[in-house]
Amino acid sequence: SHSGPLEQGETFAFYSANLERKYGEDTPWSFLDEWENVTIDRMLNWGFTSLGNWTDPRFYDQERIPFFANGWIIGDFKTVSSGSDFWNPLPDFFDPVFEERAMATVKAISEEVAGSPWCVGVFIDNEKSWGRSETTESQLGIVINTLTRDGSDVPTKRAFTDLMRKKYDSIDALNEAWSTDITDWDAFDAGIDSKLRTDAQRQDYSDMLGVFANKYFTIVKKAMDFYMPNHMYLGARFADWGMPIEVVRASAEHVDVISFNRYKEVLPDHEWTFLDEFDMPTIIGEFHFGASDSGLFHPGLLIGADQEDRARMYYEYMISVVDNPYFIGAHWFQYIDSPITGRALDGENYNVGFVSVTDVPYAPMVKAAKKLHSEMYERRFAQ
């Protein structure tokens, strides 16, 4: 299931209930302290080098294993659409309210992290709907849809108008390049038929998408530099369905590490040759494999035959990460199986944990992790 079990109501925390039964409760919520210590003991014993994205802030002060912090920029800012807004429409980054909310978000993260040297870096946002790769139109959807809107109400549209006015001496010059018949710049700003007609138009749309993305990363980097100058900025974790090269390029100008979520069997070298352009550290923010023999109704996005096969797939994926010179690691999603009735956010009920909802580790996964972690440095750095 991945559609949302209920529009409203309450959910039951099976995992928390099981932790209370397993560890007992000497004082209110003391079982969570026991769970925290056991979890860190497991991570170290299994050879993991850090706690990945979505780490509970209660782990931020444990000083035993590095962690990655995260945050979302939310607020009452204007939005724009790619035409295929998978999670949500994108914020209008040229709306001044967005920068205010970005600063507030990073300030909150900085207060949680409290300058801890155990914090490797920070992911801000996740899998934004930058544009899909299926067609040119879907890749440039943000520009195509925004050009139809009124610049008096949409700050990004006004920015696109200003960009084109600077490039073209007159509206006639733009019309010639685009094979359009727009009457004047006021008409352009009020909204146009944005259908792609010419190669010059395609290039201009690409440039506008780059400017739009650059605005986002500039703002977040500014907030990171102000509130968390001693921690790395790890980007917004591009989904493989939403990573136009213009946006990746903009990311590379501002982040310390480029981040992608990649749910595939492995990372084939030929799919990542574009990283040569950037020559930067790159990280996988999410991947997983599941199976249907665990009792959960859904095995996950990538499916193994059983737990042994799931462990094999995990190991082979990570080997492809280790063997790629640009990747510095990958974060598994997630430590705990989904609840069988579905997580509250959207109903997701996957077998994707290293531990079950009864807090029992999956032995094949643990074995594969130990093998991987005992070999990966020699494999990567043998030469």
Side-chain angles (χ1 to χ4, degrees), residues 48 127 237 260-267 284-290 301-302 310 313-321 329-334 352 354 365 372:
F48 285 101
E127 296 187 342
R237 307 197 327 155
F260 300 89
N261 295 346
R262 189 69 164 179
Y263 287 91
K264 300 293 182 183
E265 284 78 4
V266 292
L267 302 182
I284 295 295
E286 284 185 20
F287 76 106
H288 71 219
F289 304 99
L301 299 180
L302 277 295
R310 183 163 84 107
M313 296 172 75
Y314 158 70
Y315 177 83
E316 291 181 357
Y317 185 101
M318 283 303 305
I319 288 298
S320 73
V321 174
H331 289 156
W332 173 270
F333 184 85
Q334 59 181 359
V352 295
F354 259 73
M365 295 295 293
L372 170 76

Side-chain angles (χ1 to χ4, degrees), residues 78-253:
K78 295 177 184 292
T79 61
V80 295
S81 174
S82 68
S84 180
D85 304 321
F86 187 82
W87 295 113
N88 292 292
L90 280 175
D92 187 326
F93 306 132
F94 287 88
D95 182 349
V97 177
F98 177 77
E99 182 167 348
E100 294 173 8
R101 296 305 306 155
M103 296 296 286
T105 296
V106 179
K107 181 176 185 291
I109 299 169
S110 71
E111 290 169 353
E112 290 179 334
V113 171
S116 171
W118 292 82
C119 178
V120 179
V122 184
F123 295 102
I124 305 292
D125 294 324
N126 180 59
E127 296 187 342
K128 302 182 80 62
S129 299
W130 296 107
R132 301 184 73 92
S133 59
E134 289 87 350
T135 66
T136 299
E137 285 75 13
S138 61
Q139 181 175 329
L140 299 171
I142 287 290
V143 177
I144 290 172
N145 284 281
T146 302
L147 286 176
T148 67
R149 301 181 66 184
D150 191 336
S152 64
D153 185 52
V154 182
T156 289
K157 172 58 183 299
R158 176 54 57 87
F160 288 169
T161 301
D162 293 342
L163 187 67
M164 292 300 97
R165 290 191 74 163
K166 288 177 182 177
K167 177 170 182 177
Y168 292 99
D169 295 333
S170 66
I171 196 68
D172 291 336
L174 180 138
N175 281 328
E176 181 177 354
W178 287 16
S179 292
T180 50
D181 57 357
I182 304 165
T183 55
D184 53 36
W185 288 112
D186 288 340
F188 183 97
D189 197 48
I192 64 168
D193 174 1
S194 58
K195 179 181 177 181
L196 278 169
R197 297 173 175 85
T198 70
D199 290 341
Q201 192 180 18
R202 165 68 175 80
Q203 184 58 55
D204 287 339
Y205 283 20
S206 176
D207 292 343
M208 283 185 270
L209 179 59
V211 167
F212 175 72
N214 193 273
K215 183 70 171 177
Y216 168 78
F217 290 106
T218 297
I219 288 171
V220 180
K221 175 64 172 172
K222 175 182 176 182
M224 283 293 300
D225 286 345
F226 186 82
Y227 285 111
M228 304 186 75
N230 297 321
H231 295 287
M232 290 193 292
Y233 172 32
L234 306 170
R237 307 197 327 155
F238 296 115
D240 54 10
W241 47 259
M243 44 184 279
I245 192 62
E246 297 90 345
V247 183
V248 178
R249 224 173 252 133
S251 167
E253 292 182 22

